[in-house]
Amino acid sequence: MSIQEHTGLSRLCIHTITTKPWNIEQAAKHYSAAGVKGITVWRDALEGRNIKQTGNLLREHDLTTVSLCRGGFFADKDAGKRKLAIDDNRKAIAEAAELGTAMIVLVCGADPSQSLEESRKQIHDGIAAVIPDASAAGVKLAIEPLHPMYANTRSAINTLAQANDMAEALHSPWVGVAVDVYHLWWDPHLEQEIKRCGQNEHLLAFHICDWKTPTTDLLFDRGLMGEGCIPVKQIREWVEAAGFNGFNEVEIFSNTFWKEDQAEFLKKIIKAYVENA
């Protein structure tokens, strides 16, 4: 299967964190005016706001709310903190439903004071605990594997194979996987695991950006598509061959870009998307 051509910006989604200096009202206005059709909302963007009204605002700007980011952080040696995480994920599910989106991205968490295996067990159990809430709200849970450099505190799920294994073990129509090129581009098994994810109907989300070389910060120096070494177009071809036809979500954390005029940065995002994604 050959890579699909862009149909304008109809499948472009931008995360609110990408244009962090804008509040959600500004982001909605500018994304919509530029022809962007999707938005993924980070929970910090909703602070102090009526969530239902915010969802209405996004729809008034002809934006599809692709997902709410983020839930997760289930792993902790302290049982009390694990319970707090489950409670927070239940809250996130309710927020997603109120906002009008049908998906939450899960950054699953890890605790460096215990084994990765124990953290993974806690992640499995934490997700299992909130599946009934997700089902009742009509909100899917997308497990996002993170690059191994984050295995100490951010996520014990570090490969797509591990995410696929967990989604299969949970065996719920409300659980799937989010594929982020920044975290997975290096994996020699990526193509076959994307295929497996698609065959299981677990491929829920696709996040794009680039890995700059040299990079100045492993968290806050992501690049625009085409600026680095990630074969974004090739990975997009793999996810589309696996049956994915959802939004291509631009998720960039960048101290450099956040200092720029965000209207100019938005133009760069769109140009990079059309030319290099």
Side-chain angles (χ1 to χ4, degrees):
M1 176 178 175
S2 61
I3 192 166
Q4 296 176 19
E5 295 301 318
H6 286 295
T7 53
L9 304 181
S10 63
R11 292 177 61 202
L12 172 59
C13 168
I14 301 177
H15 285 226
T16 57
I17 197 73
T18 298
T19 55
K20 185 179 177 181
W22 279 340
N23 61 35
I24 194 166
E25 294 83 8
Q26 291 171 312
K29 176 184 174 182
H30 287 283
Y31 294 0
S32 179
V36 177
K37 294 300 183 183
I39 186 170
T40 279
V41 177
W42 277 59
R43 291 175 74 189
D44 66 294
L46 298 174
E47 290 178 5
R49 288 169 173 78
N50 181 299
I51 296 176
K52 188 171 184 179
Q53 288 179 2
T54 301
N56 290 335
L57 172 75
L58 299 179
R59 286 183 285 277
E60 287 167 6
H61 281 91
D62 196 27
L63 290 167
T64 297
T65 305
V66 178
S67 66
L68 181 68
C69 198
R70 58 196 180 185
F73 293 98
F74 296 104
D76 201 290
K77 201 167 188 176
D78 187 313
K81 290 182 179 177
R82 294 199 301 275
K83 182 182 183 303
L84 287 174
I86 289 170
D87 290 343
D88 184 63
N89 278 271
R90 288 182 171 134
K91 180 182 177 184
I93 289 165
E95 290 171 353
E98 200 170 1
L99 186 65
T101 184
M103 179 166 56
I104 293 177
V105 176
L106 301 180
V107 175
C108 293
D111 186 337
S113 69
Q114 64 186 13
S115 70
L116 286 169
E117 289 77 14
E118 183 61 25
S119 286
R120 288 173 191 138
K121 180 181 182 300
Q122 291 169 358
I123 291 165
H124 173 280
D125 293 348
I127 296 173
V130 300
I131 287 174
D133 304 86
S135 174
V139 174
K140 291 191 175 184
L141 308 170
I143 300 167
E144 181 178 15
L146 264 57
H147 193 283
M149 65 185 169
Y150 297 127
N152 59 337
T153 58
R154 288 183 178 269
S155 183
I157 307 299
N158 307 114
T159 66
L160 185 52
Q162 290 170 346
N164 279 335
D165 288 347
M166 186 159 293
E168 289 176 13
L170 287 160
H171 194 58
S172 167
W174 299 101
V175 177
V177 175
V179 170
D180 186 323
V181 300
Y182 189 76
H183 296 298
L184 299 176
W185 70 275
W186 56 273
D187 187 346
H189 305 293
L190 184 56
E191 183 180 8
Q192 69 191 55
E193 288 297 331
I194 287 173
K195 183 177 181 181
R196 173 187 169 197
C197 194
Q199 287 172 339
N200 291 336
E201 298 184 351
H202 285 159
L203 186 47
L204 301 182
F206 181 52
H207 299 176
I208 58 175
C209 64
D210 215 333
W211 186 295
K212 292 163 68 176
T213 304
T215 186
T216 61
D217 189 290
L218 292 173
L219 182 59
F220 296 119
D221 192 38
R222 294 191 185 192
L224 287 162
M225 296 72 70
E227 282 192 322
C229 54
I230 299 178
V232 179
K233 285 186 177 181
Q234 182 182 61
I235 299 173
R236 182 165 75 89
E237 182 177 22
W238 292 344
V239 299
E240 289 174 354
F244 182 78
N245 61 0
F247 281 87
N248 302 304
E249 304 181 46
V250 177
E251 183 185 31
I252 296 174
F253 310 130
S254 170
N255 287 326
T256 300
F257 288 130
W258 289 336
K259 291 175 184 175
E260 291 188 8
D261 179 322
Q262 296 301 285
E264 292 303 312
F265 178 37
L266 179 58
K267 292 177 184 177
K268 291 180 182 179
I269 292 171
I270 291 171
K271 184 175 187 292
Y273 174 73
V274 171
E275 294 179 357
N276 300 303

